[in-house]
Amino acid sequence: MSDISYLERQNEAQFGDFVALLKPRVMSLVVFTAFVGLVVAPVPVHPFVAFTAILFIALGGGASGALNMWYDADIDRVMRRTKGRPIPAGRITEGEALGFGLALAGISCVMLALASNLFSGLFLAFTIFFYAVVYTMWLKRSTPQNIVIGGAAGAFPPMIGWAVATGSISLESIAMFAIIFLWTPPHFWSLALFMKEDYSNAGVPMLTVTHGRRVTRLQILIYTLVLAPVAIGTAFTSIGGPVYLAVALALNALFIKGAVGLWRRDEEVALDDRYAREKRFFYFSLLYLFGHFAALLAEAGLKYFELGGW
Ligand code: HEM
Ligand SMILES: CC(C)=CCC/C(C)=C/CC/C(C)=C/COP(=O)(O)OP(=O)(O)O
């Protein structure tokens, strides 16, 4: 793995470069789901404990992003979407990113265990390992199912939030996991549809490269159809309710409608319109996930209000 030496560095690393290693934009939604997992749990958590726990989960997520960028420096240099990142741009060396990621991972796991409980700290460590090693180092470069299995890493955070409050796993935390797990393929494959050139240049076996657009669009539709009952069904668990049910029904109807629109034969749609639809679907996938977890938060607020919490 080639690495520029400290002396060869093209540009001086700035604080912002180390922040960029943490993938803050992606991790913002990840951390939101962890926060919701903590708040909807049936065990109240002191606000200071909740704040520190979410902070260390966020730093743990960032650490996994830094380790991902350390290992992916070679393919990031090739892909248009990622070649401006700190390591391929020569602002941070791979060794610095590795050291930063490992240090942050260790600190965040230990501090989460101390701030909440050992189980949560271990769960965070496992999640970092799953993303940095199982997904980034193994699955991503070896199978078109990479993001399906690797997607588990992105689905663990609400379970960690729940574990901070309860020290355990439950049907509800598994339901939140399942929503993100089944959401990840439509989320990512819609991006890969309009980013296909990048992945084939980098030699990464994403489904769009190995099986083409039509299979990818069919897989997106299948996952949205499997996801809908799981997401809607969560309304009937202890963390759901009428507000969540209404939001889930609307968002899943729109998500399936979008997936059907993508699945329409490519030939029927002009190229520019095709990319526009894929990009729209990708960005809607973010609203989809945020909307479900925001509705769970609203249900928790309503329950707290009904119990006379205010
Ligand atoms: C293995 C699972 C996942 C894969 C392969 C994946 C892939 C991607 C990629 C390639 C991007 C574009 C980012 C960029 O160009 O910098 C992206 C954006 C994003 N992802 Fe995912 N993602 C995954 C899981 C998740 C999860 C679990 C969440 C949140 C819970 C998430 C939230 C986001 C957000 C918020 C963005 C937009 C970031 C921006 O606007 O720059 N992703 N995803
Ligand atoms: C608490 C904790 C450890 C959370 C981790 C959550 C997690 C794994 C989120 C997935 C984020 C993501 C963009 C994955 C894509 O990696 P990629 O390498 O396919 O994307 P890239 O090509 O943009 O680098």
Side-chain angles (χ1 to χ4, degrees):
M1 186 175 295
S2 69
D3 187 5
I4 57 165
S5 77
Y6 185 81
L7 297 176
E8 292 167 62
R9 185 205 310 269
Q10 283 97 327
N11 320 302
E12 200 51 44
Q14 306 297 320
F15 174 72
D17 292 316
F18 284 95
V19 172
L21 283 182
L22 308 181
K23 295 196 176 186
R25 289 164 60 108
V26 171
M27 292 305 166
S28 59
L29 184 50
V30 169
V31 172
F32 177 67
T33 64
F35 171 71
V36 173
L38 187 155
V39 170
V40 303
V43 177
V45 179
H46 188 282
F48 180 72
V49 172
F51 172 77
T52 48
I54 293 302
L55 173 68
F56 292 124
I57 291 171
L59 290 177
S64 71
L67 295 172
N68 167 276
M69 287 203 194
W70 157 70
Y71 192 81
D72 276 351
D74 57 339
I75 58 176
D76 281 356
R77 279 190 192 95
V78 173
M79 300 207 299
R80 213 178 26 259
R81 177 177 57 84
T82 56
K83 65 185 178 184
R85 288 177 168 175
I87 303 173
R91 297 191 299 272
I92 289 182
T93 70
E94 288 169 43
E96 286 171 331
L98 175 61
F100 181 59
L102 289 174
L104 209 50
I107 291 166
S108 54
C109 294
V110 169
M111 292 308 290
L112 181 64
L114 294 174
S116 60
N117 54 67
L118 179 60
F119 178 65
S120 301
L122 292 173
F123 205 158
L124 178 59
F126 175 72
T127 305
I128 294 170
F129 171 81
F130 202 94
Y131 179 42
V133 179
V134 176
Y135 172 71
T136 305
M137 296 184 186
W138 175 35
L139 294 173
K140 180 173 178 180
R141 302 187 187 213
S142 57
T143 167
Q145 291 306 312
N146 44 18
I147 61 101
V148 176
I149 306 158
F156 287 137
M159 297 184 78
I160 301 174
W162 182 282
V164 165
T166 66
S168 65
I169 290 173
S170 70
L171 169 75
E172 291 80 3
S173 71
I174 292 170
M176 289 186 281
F177 167 89
I179 291 172
I180 302 177
F181 183 74
L182 294 169
W183 163 88
T184 297
H187 161 71
F188 172 70
W189 281 336
S190 54
L191 175 124
L193 279 171
F194 61 87
M195 287 283 173
K196 181 186 169 184
E197 300 69 31
D198 261 350
Y199 286 114
S200 47
N201 297 341
V204 176
M206 291 302 181
L207 191 69
T208 44
V209 176
T210 59
H211 290 72
R213 297 174 53 81
R214 184 142 190 82
V215 167
T216 303
R217 298 197 318 267
L218 177 60
Q219 288 283 325
I220 288 173
L221 178 57
I222 291 169
Y223 272 96
T224 54
L225 292 171
V226 173
L227 168 61
V230 173
I232 294 166
T234 301
F236 304 100
T237 68
S238 68
I239 59 174
V243 170
Y244 174 87
L245 178 60
V247 170
L249 286 170
L251 289 177
N252 281 279
L254 290 170
F255 210 32
I256 291 169
K257 180 172 178 288
V260 170
L262 286 188
W263 188 52
R264 264 172 44 198
R265 295 189 63 78
D266 257 357
E267 300 69 53
E268 293 168 13
V269 182
L271 190 62
D272 289 349
D273 180 34
R274 189 189 303 167
Y275 287 156
R277 280 185 306 144
E278 290 153 0
K279 210 169 259 183
R280 256 198 323 270
F281 186 86
F282 170 75
Y283 282 110
F284 181 78
S285 78
L286 303 177
L287 175 66
Y288 175 99
L289 194 68
F290 177 79
H292 279 80
F293 278 82
L296 288 175
L297 204 54
E299 287 292 352
L302 288 171
K303 291 182 179 75
Y304 185 70
F305 182 75
E306 281 157 14
L307 292 174
W310 274 311

